[in-house]
Amino acid sequence: MRSTLARWHAEDRRSFICLSGHWVHVLDIYRQQRPDVELLVDLLHLDADDSPSWKQVRKLVPNYEAPYRVVQLYDVGAMQINYRVNTSTVPALPFDKRNRRLVVHGGGWGIGTYRDRVAELESAGFALDMVSYGPQVPDPDATSRRRYFSEDPFWRPWHLETGGDCGFPPPGILSTGLDETRISVQSGSHGLYELIRSASAIVSKPGAGTLIDSLGSCTPLVMLEPFGAHEEANANVWSAQGFGISYRDWAAAGYANSILETMHSRLMERKERIAEYVSTLIEDMQEVAQ
């Protein structure tokens, strides 16, 4: 923490986007060290209800948000989306240009019931692109259309790319019953985005990053069981917007492709109506600077 604070001082950092309650303590220390400057800090909540990190910081500092600006991506009371976060500058693909594949994963932590649905989804005729969270993966037989992808295990978010920019983890294919392929990583997006952009749907628990990917790529979300009240709130917002459906309901409807296409159409229609968070933040900062 000391080295981080020293770097912020040296670079005269005054604007921050905080995605986790765990960082509020660090920001408080930095604010106390720099009483002579005005800091612009957005506490950006990526879930429709407080995630565990925000709940924990409130236990310790009940009014933690007082010196800062709280930004909610979603309004769970109104079941609305306040802001979207761009995941790529590459346009979303029309549904008829997508493959009949599903991206199946367990979010950033690799948890949930996604592995339990593999046989059902393949029996329904879908090919699967699965995210692996370790070096060992099942080896599909030669006729399988299942592929496993994993991020580069040596990638670290604090390692800067050439030019000094932060980068995204590149994906690699681990095992497949098909001829081995590599996916092309689009500039300015994470490695799995191109898979998601080309897929018919994402099958996953309704985590914060998954919702961002779904809206950014206009890819429908088939929602597995949520983990925690914050993910349950996410699921409620996505269902209300017509961007997602519970796995149970989709299975009961016979895994209909038409349902996915309808949700994709809603995403395509409504995405551009939703304010983009970073663009809005830049406008706000420019007004303050004037």
Side-chain angles (χ1 to χ4, degrees):
M1 184 174 69
R2 290 176 182 172
S3 62
T4 297
L5 291 170
R7 181 173 179 178
W8 290 354
H9 275 278
E11 296 175 348
D12 192 26
R13 295 289 181 176
R14 302 188 182 198
S15 301
F16 298 85
I17 302 173
C18 178
L19 306 181
S20 168
H22 299 312
W23 279 93
V24 171
H25 307 293
V26 183
L27 288 166
D28 283 346
I29 294 172
Y30 185 63
R31 181 171 54 86
Q32 292 163 8
Q33 292 175 348
R34 304 207 64 186
D36 55 320
V37 299
E38 182 179 358
L39 301 184
L40 301 176
V41 178
D42 274 5
L43 306 181
L44 180 60
H45 290 241
L46 301 179
D47 293 284
D49 194 8
D50 282 355
S51 62
S53 75
W54 298 112
K55 290 179 179 178
Q56 181 61 29
V57 73
R58 189 172 296 284
K59 291 179 182 178
L60 301 173
V61 187
N63 62 338
Y64 71 85
E65 68 271 58
Y68 310 120
R69 182 173 77 160
V70 176
V71 180
Q72 303 278 0
L73 286 190
Y74 312 110
D75 182 341
V76 69
M79 291 296 167
Q80 296 293 326
I81 302 174
N82 297 326
Y83 300 100
R84 60 185 170 88
V85 176
N86 271 351
T87 47
S88 175
T89 58
V90 182
L93 281 176
F95 198 78
D96 60 1
K97 300 296 183 182
R98 298 181 178 227
N99 53 47
R100 190 170 163 79
R101 301 188 72 89
L102 305 175
V103 174
V104 183
H105 65 70
W109 298 103
I111 59 178
T113 58
Y114 67 102
R115 294 183 184 91
D116 301 336
R117 306 304 183 186
V118 170
E120 299 168 5
L121 293 168
E122 289 184 329
S123 295
F126 289 96
L128 308 182
D129 287 337
M130 300 194 63
V131 177
S132 173
Y133 296 88
Q136 302 298 323
V137 298
D139 188 13
D141 61 47
T143 62
S144 173
R145 294 190 295 155
R146 194 186 318 162
R147 302 185 298 187
Y148 288 90
F149 293 85
S150 178
E151 294 175 352
D152 182 345
F154 300 105
W155 178 85
R156 297 293 182 269
W158 53 86
H159 291 171
L160 301 181
E161 296 180 338
T162 303
D165 294 330
C166 293
F168 294 92
I173 190 166
L174 295 182
S175 179
T176 179
L178 303 170
D179 292 336
E180 184 165 317
T181 58
R182 299 282 172 177
I183 62 174
S184 174
V185 181
Q186 299 285 349
S187 176
S189 62
H190 64 82
L192 292 173
Y193 182 80
E194 187 61 21
L195 288 178
I196 293 170
R197 176 176 171 266
S198 304
S200 296
I202 307 166
V203 180
S204 177
K205 65 185 188 64
T210 303
L211 266 60
I212 289 172
D213 284 339
S214 172
L215 182 56
S217 63
C218 296
T219 303
L221 177 57
V222 177
M223 297 177 290
L224 301 174
E225 294 80 358
F227 270 68
H230 59 297
E231 289 195 355
E232 184 175 356
N234 291 346
N236 291 338
V237 170
W238 237 238
S239 294
Q241 289 292 313
F243 297 165
I245 186 173
S246 72
Y247 182 90
R248 180 190 305 173
D249 289 345
W250 189 48
Y255 304 94
N257 206 50
S258 59
I259 292 177
L260 303 181
E261 185 170 8
T262 297
M263 291 191 294
H264 163 79
S265 296
R266 289 196 189 104
L267 282 157
M268 292 284 280
E269 174 191 356
R270 299 178 188 175
K271 173 185 172 182
E272 297 305 324
R273 300 184 197 170
I274 302 169
E276 202 282 312
Y277 166 68
V278 174
S279 299
T280 303
L281 176 61
I282 292 172
E283 291 175 1
D284 292 345
M285 292 174 65
Q286 289 173 340
E287 289 181 5
V288 171
Q290 291 177 354

